[in-house]
Amino acid sequence: MSLTEINYSLVLRGILCLIVLFSLSTIKISAQETESSDELFIKARKLAFDDKNYIKAIALTKQALIQSPDYADIRIFLGRLYTWTDKPDSARIEFKKVLEKNQGYEDLYLAYGSMEYWNKNPEEAFKIVSEGIRYNEKSESLLLLGAKIFLDLKKFEEANLTLRHLLKLYPNSTQARALAGTLGNIGSKNRIGFSYDYVYFDKQFDDPWHLGSIDYSRQTGIGPLTARVNFANRFKTNGTQLELDFYPRISNTFYAYMSGGYSGNVGVFPEYRAGFSLYANLPSAFEAEAGFRMLSFNDQTWIYTASLGKYHENFWFNLRTFLSPSSNDISQSVAFSTRYYFGGANDFLSLVVGTGLSPDNPRNNLLYNNGNTYKLKSNNISLGYRKSIKTTNILIFKASLENQQYLPDTRGNQLELGIGYMKLF
């Protein structure tokens, strides 16, 4: 074979290879073009949710919209993709296109309202979600988003009313229950409350204790402020204590508890008490807390606390510990609490089982004054019932039994019965 013939053969083979490659490429492109908009939509969702590849997902979604420009779900998804990639202006364009032809579509209002809420535009988010709720009055997702927007706008009463309505429709909504728990202290502008507790001892003391309180709460711009006067008769001696509690809201995730108290009747009450806790609303309806308490008699006692709470449908669970360091060891108390909600944030049954003393419980925090008494062992159980009547009237009943070691190898029982009333206005 001559050199010319060899060169001709090579050129021919090269041309044939190019033709084959071009044909395969054309077939592949044709196959993509013949994929339906639904198939492209499914691929785009997989790329976004499984692979977090938003760029390719956007490209496929746009390709699907070329075939089906009025496919609302695909265009809403494109708006969500732009939201997730920090392109709110592009997202608005897509959402408004859908809104022009699909008024009343629930998923549109949810996606559009969420985008504005996440981008710190609560007023615009409120307009969008409010319109969506008018068309979808029983939408769990829109009502929950509406409550969050109200909270962001510091419209606490409106947020509380929205959650009450939501919980009537969906009593097992864990997210609504968790948000209602956060709003429980800030759901009304004004509140007055009264309580009385009777404590009976079978051995430790000859005379029962009588405890009472009157409080007033006012909603401020950043959280509720409560002023309280406590009364007590212990050891046949009367005393009073003044307290202030404040629950400032720091962000959508964090809020705090700040408390202080004073009494001139040391022995009936601590002379001074103070407390601080930082709360964090975590994903999956968890809530964490860390803080401290201080009780001052002749000396100061510092107690540190941490807790973890979880909402699940109609239930709330909480595990808390108090730690009291000393020169020799660390004393501790542990309490497990649960609530079963049968209505709003103020309608529940509660159960608390624990060991040791709690500085937050005025019944026994006085025992921190008695040397090492608070280090002696104790076990307690309490039941509670809280019921709202016509939303603004709240009745409270509680009973507890404690087996307290008040001397080495000597135990006694104490029974507490309590009633309370709160008025919201």
Side-chain angles (χ1 to χ4, degrees):
M1 182 180 291
S2 66
L3 183 61
T4 303
E5 291 174 332
I6 292 172
N7 289 336
Y8 176 77
S9 176
L10 290 173
V11 170
L12 183 60
R13 288 180 183 179
I15 293 171
L16 288 173
C17 288
L18 288 173
I19 292 171
V20 170
L21 289 173
F22 178 76
S23 299
L24 291 173
S25 174
T26 304
I27 291 169
K28 184 176 180 181
I29 292 171
S30 299
Q32 286 185 342
E33 288 177 349
T34 57
E35 284 184 307
S36 69
S37 55
D38 281 319
E39 290 171 329
L40 292 169
F41 186 25
I42 291 170
K43 284 187 175 181
R45 289 175 63 85
K46 188 177 185 303
L47 282 168
F49 295 127
D50 295 348
D51 304 332
K52 308 299 180 185
N53 192 333
Y54 299 125
I55 303 301
K56 285 187 177 180
I58 288 172
L60 282 181
T61 305
K62 286 182 176 179
Q63 188 177 337
L65 286 172
I66 292 173
Q67 297 183 33
S68 305
D70 294 329
Y71 199 144
D73 287 333
I74 296 179
R75 195 168 294 281
I76 292 170
F77 184 64
L78 179 58
R80 289 185 186 275
L81 289 170
Y82 283 137
T83 301
W84 299 335
T85 52
D86 296 322
K87 298 177 181 177
D89 291 335
S90 298
R92 288 186 186 99
I93 291 171
E94 302 304 326
F95 291 141
K96 288 177 180 178
K97 286 180 181 178
V98 180
L99 188 60
E100 289 174 359
K101 299 181 179 180
N102 296 272
Q103 266 196 334
Y105 192 25
E106 178 184 355
D107 195 47
L108 166 64
Y109 295 104
L110 183 61
Y112 196 179
S114 296
M115 185 276 292
E116 297 293 0
Y117 173 67
W118 294 332
N119 282 276
K120 309 300 182 184
N121 297 312
E123 293 86 359
E124 187 63 27
F126 171 72
K127 294 177 185 177
I128 295 163
V129 173
S130 295
E131 181 179 337
I133 291 174
R134 283 199 299 271
Y135 288 104
N136 306 272
E137 296 179 353
K138 296 184 178 181
S139 169
E140 180 179 357
S141 298
L142 285 174
L143 288 168
L144 183 62
L145 179 57
K148 291 178 180 178
I149 294 169
F150 277 131
L151 182 58
D152 205 56
L153 292 169
K154 295 182 171 57
K155 296 179 180 289
F156 302 118
E157 190 171 2
E158 291 87 344
N160 213 24
L161 289 171
T162 302
L163 285 169
R164 287 173 189 164
H165 176 60
L166 176 56
L167 287 169
K168 284 182 180 179
L169 295 172
Y170 305 99
N172 294 333
S173 173
T174 297
Q175 291 188 65
R177 184 67 63 194
L179 190 57
T182 301
L183 280 168
N185 291 316
I186 56 176
S188 57
K189 292 189 177 180
N190 298 279
R191 187 193 74 192
I192 56 173
F194 309 91
S195 70
Y196 168 73
D197 297 278
Y198 172 86
V199 185
Y200 167 79
F201 302 88
D202 67 347
K203 294 180 181 179
Q204 190 173 4
F205 302 115
D206 294 331
D207 299 299
W209 289 355
H210 304 272
L211 309 171
S213 71
I214 301 173
D215 63 72
Y216 169 73
S217 296
R218 172 69 181 178
Q219 178 60 54
T220 71
I222 60 173
L225 178 66
T226 300
R228 183 181 299 105
V229 181
N230 296 318
F231 308 93
N233 180 280
R234 291 181 168 119
F235 319 113
K236 295 184 178 180
T237 302
N238 294 321
T240 58
Q241 180 188 52
L242 303 177
E243 285 185 310
L244 282 176
D245 292 342
F246 187 37
Y247 287 86
R249 181 171 176 267
I250 301 170
S251 68
N252 289 336
T253 301
F254 295 101
Y255 71 98
Y257 160 75
M258 303 168 66
S259 180
Y262 168 77
S263 175
N265 307 106
V266 181
V268 180
F269 290 102
E271 182 178 10
Y272 297 101
R273 65 168 300 275
F276 174 84
S277 282
L278 180 65
Y279 292 86
N281 297 310
L282 305 176
S284 301
F286 278 96
E287 181 182 71
E289 174 205 359
F292 70 85
R293 309 289 186 264
M294 187 278 290
L295 299 174
S296 177
F297 300 93
N298 296 323
D299 298 311
Q300 291 183 353
T301 300
W302 291 83
I303 307 104
Y304 301 93
T305 186
S307 71
L308 181 66
K310 164 69 175 175
Y311 286 90
H312 177 67
E313 296 184 353
N314 289 43
F315 289 91
W316 173 74
F317 305 99
N318 182 271
L319 184 64
R320 172 185 294 278
T321 185
F322 288 104
L323 304 175
S324 306
S326 69
S327 57
N328 298 323
D329 58 6
I330 296 178
S331 299
Q332 67 179 25
S333 67
V334 178
F336 173 75
S337 306
T338 185
R339 294 175 183 171
Y340 173 74
Y341 289 91
F342 52 87
N346 288 302
D347 297 279
F348 59 81
L349 293 167
S350 65
L351 169 68
V352 181
V353 180
T355 64
L357 298 178
S358 166
D360 289 341
N361 190 332
R363 179 184 71 227
N364 279 344
N365 62 16
L366 186 71
L367 298 179
Y368 278 90
N369 184 37
N370 191 10
N372 291 327
T373 296
Y374 69 90
K375 298 180 182 180
L376 299 176
K377 296 178 180 179
S378 68
N379 300 298
N380 53 77
I381 183 171
S382 64
L383 298 171
Y385 174 74
R386 184 174 293 199
K387 172 65 178 174
S388 62
I389 300 174
K390 294 184 178 180
T391 303
T392 61
N393 299 281
I394 301 167
L395 298 177
I396 303 167
F397 302 93
K398 61 182 178 180
S400 68
L401 178 65
E402 182 159 1
N403 182 256
Q404 174 75 45
Q405 182 184 10
Y406 59 94
L407 292 172
D409 301 321
T410 305
R411 286 179 171 271
N413 295 312
Q414 61 186 75
L415 174 68
E416 178 187 15
L417 299 174
I419 58 172
Y421 170 77
M422 291 191 297
K423 175 65 177 180
L424 311 179
F425 60 101

